[in-house]
């Protein structure tokens, strides 16, 4: 399938959110904390029982600061956009984009997150997601840019989203364009 471009109908409302920032913030904290410890290893009052000399300690903290920098680079937050028009559901994240055509799905429903049932050891938390019922089994393969997790067992395909509010917005936009598909 040729690469799709982002071109929903002009004037189509767009639902957007930023990808998780927590990994980026954690990498930044590692870079700053361990970077300062590597640059100034002798700050503070060293105890007489200190077993590690300054050279190896500085190298260790420098390596951890470099790990924080690599974590930051690998997890730069980017804007993710969805738009629903008469052709389908458009998705764009950075340079990646995709179109899920309405002729590929039988139904779409929003699944809001909820915690596991207390007292039931078999109960699991439900994560917020947009759930598609595809017409064929190659749906996840065609849209592998969007569905990066391993295939879900069963007839439905889940697109996990960070919050229930985004799921509600997307479900409303899909219902505005194709109310016959929304369950």
């Amino acid at each position: 399938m040729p690469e799709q471009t982002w071109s929903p109908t002009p004037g189509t409302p767009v639902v957007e959110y930023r990808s998780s920032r927590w990994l980026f913030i954690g990498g930044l904290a590692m870079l700053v904390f361990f970077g300062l410890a590597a640059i100034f290893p002798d700050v503070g009052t060293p105890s007489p029982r200190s077993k590690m000399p300054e050279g190896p300690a500085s190298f260790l903290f420098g390596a951890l600061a470099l790990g924080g920098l690599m974590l930051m680079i690998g997890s730069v937050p980017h804007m993710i956009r969805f738009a629903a028009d008469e052709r389908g559901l458009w998705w764009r994240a950075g340079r990646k984009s995709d179109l899920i055509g309405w002729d590929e799905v039988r139904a779409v429903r929003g699944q809001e997150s909820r915690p596991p049932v207390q007292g039931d050891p078999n109960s699991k938390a439900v994560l917020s997601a947009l759930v598609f019922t595809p017409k064929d089994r190659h749906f996840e393969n065609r849209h592998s840019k969007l569905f990066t997790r391993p295939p879900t067992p069963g007839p439905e395909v889940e697109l996990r989203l960070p919050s229930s509010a985004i799921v509600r917005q997307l479900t409303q936009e899909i219902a505005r364009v194709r109310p016959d598909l929304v369950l």
Side-chain angles (χ1 to χ4, degrees), residues 12-96:
T12 302
V14 176
V15 176
E16 59 186 23
Y17 66 92
R18 284 205 179 277
S19 62
S20 178
R21 298 179 193 145
W22 292 110
L23 218 50
F24 182 81
I25 292 169
L28 178 63
M30 281 179 63
L31 176 69
V32 170
F33 180 75
F34 292 122
L36 288 173
I39 293 171
F40 306 109
D42 56 350
V43 171
T45 310
S47 69
R49 293 186 279 171
S50 179
K51 295 180 182 176
M52 185 177 277
E54 286 182 16
S58 186
F59 177 76
L60 175 68
F61 288 134
L64 288 171
L66 185 61
L69 178 65
M70 299 304 276
L71 189 64
M72 282 176 53
I73 291 171
S75 64
V76 173
H78 54 274
M79 187 65 74
I80 299 172
R81 294 176 173 88
F82 287 97
D85 68 4
E86 64 278 348
R87 292 178 283 176
L89 182 66
W90 296 88
W91 166 80
R92 183 176 191 166
R95 293 186 183 132
K96 296 178 186 177

Side-chain angles (χ1 to χ4, degrees), residues 1-5 97-99 142-143 145:
M1 179 176 221
E3 182 112 359
Q4 299 287 337
T5 58
S97 63
D98 199 4
L99 168 66
R142 278 194 309 274
H143 302 289
K145 292 179 203 172

